[in-house]
Amino acid sequence: MTLVIGDEELLADRMVSALIAAARTSDPDAQVHDLFGGKVEPGELTRLTSPSLFGDRAIVVFRSAQDLTKDLIAEVVAYTKRPSEDAVVILVHPGGVKGKALVDGVKKAGAAVLTVTKLTKAGERLDFIKNEMRNSGRSISAAAAQALLDAVGNDLRELAAACSQLAFDTPGKAVDEAAVARYHRGRAEVSGFTVADKAVEGRLGEALEQLRWALGTGVAPVLIVSALAGGVRSLAKVGSAPRNLRGGQLASHVGMPPWKIDRVKRQLNGWGPEGIAQAIQAVAVADEQVKGGGTDPAYALERTVQVIVASRTGR
């Protein structure tokens, strides 16, 4: 049993992927069960971790573990005290007050704890950019890293997507300011976020128009997917936040500045939990397709925008 705790979503996801990869080194055929806390049924953990007739190992991931019910928390804590040798269980918790009983319970029961450190300083995000480029076999100058951070913003998923695109498209080993400027002139970046805003607000025609303009002016599909993902994730974060949080407490809980929270609250009109879940799934599919899983990124993006708008109930 491993508890991954921290609200830096990209780093938490990477940590989970590393744990899954490590578990599969001893059993490449291990089956992964990826679950979300709010949709787990009582007894599901026991069923998934029970020994298989074929001896297959199970890897069970509980994302958004803070949404587990009281009964399920008790089930998880009890399992942690007597874990199965045929299973690897990973709990992903953002930290904070919600679900604290789960965190305290599994820690006391002996779960391994991995903490994801949130990057709060500009210098840390610049180091992140440099590491992303280094992992892609490239280097980036300090000035270029700063230019990229200024153009893209603080969201690590968007920064990672931008680094990946630069590493793929830029010739030579080093990425300089000129390379950053070619892909991130501000206007192009705004277009990706504009597509996302129009989509989550249910304005299909405008969203598709902005999407086609963005693609026509050379905005990389992976950056548009990143913007769509950011827009939908913002809906999920603000929509699921405790209603008693206000001001700075809410900003701290969801990891957004107050001005952005106000905008997302307005965009939440017409959205319900099921619709947000459908939109998140659609973006995940598009992400795979624009990164090589599909043959037509433009079609994948148009389809995703249509699904996002259709998932908005209008209430």
Side-chain angles (χ1 to χ4, degrees), residues 157-198:
R157 284 191 184 276
E158 292 165 9
L159 285 172
C163 288
S164 175
Q165 191 67 32
L166 280 169
F168 182 79
D169 285 342
T170 304
K173 186 173 178 61
V175 175
D176 56 17
E177 283 184 273
V180 174
R182 281 196 298 272
Y183 287 93
H184 303 278
R185 288 189 174 91
R187 202 176 87 170
E189 280 303 294
V190 169
S191 71
F193 294 113
T194 301
V195 173
D197 286 339
K198 302 293 186 187

Side-chain angles (χ1 to χ4, degrees), residues 214-264:
L215 293 172
T217 54
V219 181
V222 68
L223 296 180
I224 299 176
V225 170
S226 179
L228 289 169
V232 176
R233 285 199 307 272
S234 293
L235 293 178
K237 287 181 179 180
V238 176
S240 63
R243 296 186 179 275
N244 63 327
L245 295 183
R246 297 287 186 275
Q249 286 184 321
L250 178 57
S252 176
H253 181 81
V254 299
M256 296 180 198
W259 64 264
K260 186 173 183 179
I261 291 174
D262 291 339
R263 187 182 70 191
V264 174

Side-chain angles (χ1 to χ4, degrees), residues 130-151:
K130 294 172 184 177
N131 287 332
E132 288 292 297
M133 299 306 295
R134 190 178 301 115
N135 292 338
S136 298
R138 301 299 184 90
S139 62
I140 186 169
S141 68
Q146 184 64 60
L148 185 61
L149 180 61
D150 292 341

Side-chain angles (χ1 to χ4, degrees), residues 283-295:
V283 172
V285 171
D287 184 67
E288 179 185 6
Q289 291 181 334
V290 303
K291 291 179 179 176
T295 58

Side-chain angles (χ1 to χ4, degrees), residues 46-66:
T46 301
R47 178 177 64 81
L48 293 175
T49 56
S50 296
S52 166
L53 291 175
F54 303 100
D56 295 332
R57 198 175 199 187
I59 303 171
V60 185
V61 182
F62 289 99
R63 301 184 190 272
S64 301
Q66 73 277 9

